[in-house]
Amino acid sequence: MEASQSVPRGPWDVAYYQEQGLYFHLVEVSEVEPGSPRVRVTDRGEMLMFGSYAYLGLIGHPAINRAAQDAIARYGTGTNGVRLLAGTLPLHNELEASIAAFKGAEAAIAFASGYIANISTISALLERHDTVICDKLDHASIVDGCLLAGAKLVRFRHNDLDHLAKRLEQADPAHQRMVIVDGVYSMDGDIADLPGIRALCDRYGALLMVDEAHSLGVLGATGTGIEEHFGMAPSAVDVKMGTFSKAIPSVGGYVAGAAEMIIALKHKARGFIYSAAIPPPSAAASIAALQLIRDEPERVQRLQQRFAYFLDRLKAAGFNVLASQAAVAPIVCGSDERAVRLMMHCVDRGIFIQAILPPVVPTGLARLRATVTANHSIEDIDHAVEVLTEGAQRLGVL
Ligand SMILES: Cc1ncc(COP(=O)(O)O)c(C=O)c1O
């Protein structure tokens, strides 16, 4: 196959993508070691994981595995269909009650993924003449939901409250206005200014939705998320969205909030009505994980301490970690080439870490996106920072 043209000949012009350096290899993690940040990677062997979303290190936890196995024994691996028809099990109702209680909400609805939760909820809650105001760095699934809703989509500069106020001022007050932010930004690790954003929403009568994919289990003394982090009441967020695929080691998404809103979503959200229910072992795993977080909040505190230590060490070494505060440490490298070379330097030394390049992040801000979990020891973190520092000095990142 040959590719020398400047645009792809079609959506599967593989030669073009290879030539442009856009061809993506899916790394295969062939074994995990429960309770440890070590994984086995096909063709590479054992590696120290610094790119996991499983912030609390709960993948493979015996209580969660047992719950999933019991659910398979009782219900099998799938459901009889979508939730609205024959797909609802007691496990789904229990999961919704658990996450509602965890988030201090009246009720909740569970979806098959966080992506589906976002696109279905936003498109169900908004209509054509409404205005939806998103932070510039909101997750792609939020943007897709806004596009699907057909509402007027406007963006405000990242975490810039003056700009948000301007956007709210410009929005048509005759129709609904909704502000949507991420709790913790997945590529930058900074936290939405919830008190400031809530105050603006109150001033303009706008609804507030927060995506807690990276803040559930991560923020707050007991891991309940962004309201706890800021010492605010659960009512500070109207539409509380999150996933069961990160700190909670399963799959699925949720929205929690007022009971009436949840009933409306169960009747209107197309991803709930037209897509299969969460499989029994996954629902059971999420329930067990929520229980574990409640029973053993020390895991949340350990994650917060380990992350703060990691961030301090990176800053002391001179890395640019932007305004990161939680979950995700961006290690800015500048050019794409430097980011890829630094990633390879780490990978060759047994550190699993990934480079994030434009268009996912702005040009000139290519970075490594590093995460730690509650399972990382101080020695693991020291080792990774040493490897990163050595590579960065060699490549001129530092
Ligand atoms: C901020 C954010 N929202 C939503 C999602 C989608 O969640 P899921 O992977 O459960 O579909 C992700 C996934 O990475 C995310 O980072």
Side-chain angles (χ1 to χ4, degrees):
M1 256 191 285
E2 253 178 51
S4 51
Q5 75 279 12
S6 58
V7 289
R9 270 184 286 249
W12 49 81
D13 187 349
V14 173
Y16 169 82
Y17 291 111
Q18 282 174 333
E19 190 174 89
Q20 299 291 317
L22 297 171
Y23 189 78
F24 200 74
H25 293 271
L26 298 179
V27 181
E28 209 179 74
V29 175
S30 52
E31 221 178 295
V32 296
E33 205 181 297
S36 152
R38 282 167 184 76
V39 296
R40 185 160 289 280
V41 173
T42 305
D43 302 331
R44 284 215 172 257
E46 187 181 285
M47 298 189 80
L48 193 50
M49 175 58 90
F50 272 82
S52 174
Y53 281 152
Y55 299 114
L56 293 174
L58 288 174
I59 293 179
H61 189 287
I64 299 175
N65 283 4
R66 210 174 317 114
Q69 283 154 359
D70 290 350
I72 291 180
R74 183 151 189 190
Y75 299 107
T77 54
T79 61
N80 287 304
V82 300
R83 288 286 302 282
L84 217 54
L85 299 178
T88 295
L89 302 172
L91 283 174
H92 295 115
N93 293 329
E94 198 186 327
L95 175 59
E96 289 170 345
S98 301
I99 189 66
F102 195 76
K103 287 300 306 171
E106 287 175 6
I109 175 172
F111 296 88
S113 78
Y115 183 90
I116 295 176
N118 267 338
I119 60 168
S120 308
T121 299
I122 298 166
S123 59
L125 295 181
L126 292 171
E127 291 176 0
R128 204 154 59 90
H129 299 291
D130 296 335
T131 302
V132 57
I133 306 173
C134 292
D135 186 288
K136 189 90 180 10
L137 296 190
D138 275 359
H139 190 258
S141 54
I142 296 175
V143 178
D144 291 357
C146 296
L147 296 176
L148 196 59
K152 184 171 183 218
L153 167 61
V154 290
R155 310 276 203 103
F156 65 99
R157 284 190 289 274
H158 179 50
N159 242 339
D160 180 337
L161 265 55
D162 291 338
H163 200 214
L164 172 59
K166 249 185 223 131
R167 294 302 198 200
L168 280 161
E169 185 71 48
Q170 289 160 348
D172 180 356
H175 294 278
Q176 187 171 257
R177 290 159 287 181
M178 182 151 93
V179 174
I180 311 181
V181 296
D182 283 12
V184 168
Y185 285 86
S186 58
M187 295 299 149
D188 289 43
D190 51 351
I191 301 172
D193 179 353
L194 185 63
I197 295 170
R198 179 71 258 173
L200 283 174
C201 286
D202 287 344
R203 190 188 311 160
Y204 289 93
L207 280 174
L208 175 59
M209 173 167 175
V210 180
D211 177 335
E212 291 218 80
H214 299 275
S215 49
L216 187 82
V218 172
L219 292 186
T222 63
T224 64
I226 191 158
E227 303 93 337
E228 186 183 14
H229 173 82
F230 284 108
M232 295 174 78
S235 57
V237 177
D238 304 301
V239 186
K240 303 164 188 291
M241 180 271 165
T243 73
F244 298 124
S245 59
K246 295 179 173 62
I248 293 175
S250 182
V251 73
Y254 69 84
V255 169
E260 281 201 346
M261 176 183 75
I262 300 305
I263 292 171
L265 287 175
K266 286 186 175 171
H267 289 79
K268 276 185 81 179
R270 292 166 74 83
F272 184 82
I273 299 169
Y274 295 108
S275 190
I278 298 176
S282 306
S286 298
I287 296 167
L290 283 167
Q291 192 60 47
L292 261 179
I293 300 172
R294 268 192 185 287
D295 293 346
E296 300 171 14
E298 59 274 13
R299 212 173 263 105
V300 175
Q301 287 135 30
R302 197 162 65 236
L303 166 66
Q304 292 168 354
Q305 286 157 1
R306 295 290 192 269
F307 185 79
Y309 179 78
F310 183 46
L311 209 57
D312 283 350
R313 284 232 41 196
L314 289 171
K315 284 183 192 165
F319 283 106
N320 174 6
V321 293
L322 301 175
S324 171
Q325 293 166 279
V328 174
I331 298 171
V332 175
C333 301
S335 76
D336 301 4
E337 190 186 340
R338 273 192 188 152
V340 172
R341 283 186 191 280
L342 184 56
M343 172 183 75
M344 289 318 299
H345 170 90
C346 294
V347 167
D348 288 342
R349 286 154 187 80
I351 307 287
F352 189 119
I353 197 165
Q354 274 162 337
I356 309 288
L357 308 177
V360 179
V361 292
T363 303
L365 287 179
R367 66 194 67 173
L368 301 194
R369 180 186 176 285
T371 57
V372 292
T373 70
N375 288 339
H376 283 84
S377 67
I378 294 295
E379 292 72 32
D380 293 331
I381 294 171
D382 285 342
H383 175 60
V385 174
E386 276 151 29
V387 171
L388 278 160
T389 306
E390 184 209 347
Q393 282 166 347
R394 198 181 293 175
L395 293 164
V397 173
L398 284 180

